[in-house]
Amino acid sequence: MRFSVLASGSTGNSIYIENDEHAFLVDAGLSTRKLEKLLGEVGRDMKALDGIFVTHEHSDHIRGLGVTARKYGVPIYANEKTWKAMDGLVGNVPAEQRFVFDMETVKTFGSFDVQSFAVSHDAADPMFYIFHENGRKLVLITDTGYVSDRMKGWIREADAYVFESNHDVSMLQMGRYPWNIKRRILSDVGHVSNEDAAVAMSEVVSEKETRIYLSHLSKDNNMKDLARLSVSQTLETCGIRVGEYVHLFDTDAEQPTELVPV
Amino acid sequence: MDWNKTKTIFIIVFAILNVFLYSLYVNRYTEVKRIDVQGETKIEERLKMDGITYPKLPEIETASFASGEVWVFDPKEVKDAKGQTLRLTDDRGTIVGVPKEPVSIKGEDGKLDFGGLLDKYVKNGSDYKLWKADEKKREAVFFQTIDSLPFYFNQSSTLTVHWNEALEVTDYQQRMMDEIVLFNQEKDLFPPIQAINALYSRGYLKTDSTITKVEMGYSPLVQLTKTQVFAPTWHIHVKLNDGTSEDFFVNAVDGKVLDKLPEQIIEEDG
Ligand SMILES: [Zn+2]
Ligand SMILES: [Zn+2]
């Protein structure tokens, strides 16, 4: 399988995953026009999409969902509570395009197994996805206040991770966000910090080549260089030598990452 | 009752009421507008009214965050030192140097000149910029720089020099940062006039004071396990009427006025 993080951050999220037979998006948090452009930049077309998996109903994950669904007739997958929460947010999605993807289940699309798992986030019933194909494993996990042992169980020993590294704690504390927003971000149902993400990573990676994409970076309370420094130094204190078998990659709010095989 | 008369009276009463309400509204509206206009009085003008002057402001619009690692001095370097005796602290983070021959800091016109010391004795001496020389205490503090921008009050990159009555260096203490890199992402800066405004609107600038310097540098932001991260920072130096002066620091990315930098407090306590 191959994947590209089309866009990542609080301005909009979408990840593209494909193999030789199927093509999917996880979330459509940007306008349809932007999604078309981003997908075009990795040489792919919206018309080829076989489905969109929705993680939760926050606008940075579903902004372009309704229009994309109607324009391209793509099947949309989300769990029951998320469907209910999206009501009125995405406009009309035709009944034949609405599919329910239950929490902690697996759906099979040809050689793809797509697995859903719960995260801790202030949405109706937030869940993320793991893609399996031919023994290879791609884990997507952002929008979670922390990484629980249960989550660690699901995401262990993947070949690639799209991992949230949302904020730097001290930058957030010093920054000019109002207190209630700071509290939300730092809470168990907000977002995971650079250090906490790194500690979780250190507990789930195995000693094989692993690509980790640092994602959903806060625009005001983080920076790519800071996230990379912070994650790599924390990983190193946890005994993982970055650059040997664990490799860190940036994602961007406006530019897709290279479409690479897992 | 004459219904027609009643109707006319009603119409007249309502007409008067309408005129009254309208005039009330117009008054309010212009009042609100006037307040707005007052609020918009340019910062430049408000400073002028309070007798606060400032020099030509730097025209830097973007800058990067920076990071650096604490340098650990090599004991071999200490042993091989020439012309001075060097001593290392236990963590090897601070070097203390004592010149063997007198090194004078006497400059022209009674000014202090540290050039000789920095050139010949201090490791990477040219990277250090004088912050303050206290002639009574006979102590000068220098900050390490990157691209000639100083790291303000960063404990792991300051140099302190002491001298005797004859203006000869008695000793110096040096800490240094290494692997200094600028982050790739350039950030748009909070303009210097806005930084001045931030101080002004919080009441930090007293009337009739003179801003003599507005400079860019870095202040400590985040401490990672190995690396320290620094934010672009405006340093604003203000001379007061009574001859004293004050230094302020404003984060140049988010415009936040920095409370006293940690080392500044330590210095004052010590
Ligand atoms: Zn969210
Ligand atoms: Zn999100």
Side-chain angles (χ1 to χ4, degrees), chain A residues 56 58 60-61 121 143 184 191:
Chain A
H56 64 297
H58 286 164
D60 57 321
H61 296 261
H121 193 55
D143 297 78
R184 181 206 159 223
H191 292 279

Side-chain angles (χ1 to χ4, degrees), chain A residues 99-117:
Chain A
F99 293 87
V100 171
F101 200 138
D102 285 323
M103 182 70 82
E104 295 186 1
T105 56
V106 178
K107 275 190 193 303
T108 301
F109 303 84
S111 56
F112 259 141
D113 282 335
V114 186
Q115 179 185 8
S116 65
F117 66 99

Side-chain angles (χ1 to χ4, degrees), chain A residues 43-256:
Chain A
R44 294 297 187 268
D45 197 324
M46 300 281 277
K47 287 189 199 110
L49 290 179
D50 297 306
I52 301 176
F53 302 107
V54 178
T55 60
H56 64 297
E57 72 281 8
H58 286 164
S59 65
D60 57 321
H61 296 261
I62 62 165
R63 196 169 286 120
L65 190 67
V67 175
T68 306
R70 288 186 288 277
K71 184 169 174 186
Y72 292 97
V74 201
I76 311 292
Y77 298 83
N79 64 39
E80 207 89 66
K81 283 186 190 152
T82 302
W83 271 119
K84 205 169 265 163
M86 285 197 295
D87 231 9
L89 296 176
V90 293
N92 182 44
V93 175
E96 65 273 18
Q97 280 171 250
R98 289 169 169 256
F99 293 87
V100 171
F101 200 138
D102 285 323
M103 182 70 82
E104 295 186 1
T105 56
V106 178
K107 275 190 193 303
T108 301
F109 303 84
S111 56
F112 259 141
D113 282 335
V114 186
Q115 179 185 8
S116 65
F117 66 99
V119 292
S120 171
H121 193 55
D122 52 358
D125 200 14
M127 64 182 195
F128 271 81
Y129 298 93
I130 302 168
F131 287 75
H132 303 263
E133 196 207 25
N134 301 330
R136 310 288 286 174
K137 181 172 175 182
L138 164 66
V139 167
L140 314 180
I141 178 168
T142 70
D143 297 78
T144 189
Y146 70 108
V147 184
S148 66
D149 289 339
R150 189 175 176 82
M151 294 177 218
K152 283 174 201 155
W154 295 116
I155 68 176
R156 206 167 287 286
E157 299 181 2
D159 301 281
Y161 291 90
V162 175
F163 215 117
E164 168 156 47
S165 188
N166 181 265
H167 55 272
D168 179 275
V169 176
S170 29
M171 239 180 126
L172 177 70
Q173 279 163 346
M174 276 184 268
R176 52 178 170 178
Y177 277 13
W179 175 236
N180 56 335
I181 296 188
K182 290 182 184 180
R183 244 183 33 201
R184 181 206 159 223
I185 297 174
L186 289 172
S187 77
D188 282 352
V189 290
H191 292 279
V192 65
S193 70
N194 296 338
E195 288 83 0
D196 290 348
V199 170
M201 288 170 202
S202 75
E203 291 168 16
V204 296
V205 295
S206 61
E207 281 184 25
K208 62 177 175 184
E209 287 290 307
T210 312
R211 305 168 72 94
I212 302 179
Y213 288 71
L214 305 180
S215 308
H216 214 303
L217 264 64
S218 158
K219 205 170 133 260
D220 296 315
N221 301 308
N222 211 352
M223 285 172 279
K224 285 182 198 174
D225 298 275
L226 176 60
R228 221 173 332 98
L229 270 176
S230 180
V231 168
S232 67
Q233 290 183 13
T234 309
L235 282 173
E236 272 164 29
T237 49
C238 297
I240 289 163
R241 287 226 281 284
V242 177
E244 257 172 45
Y245 53 91
V246 169
H247 306 276
L248 299 180
F249 298 88
D250 293 331
T251 61
D252 194 273
E254 283 161 26
Q255 266 178 347

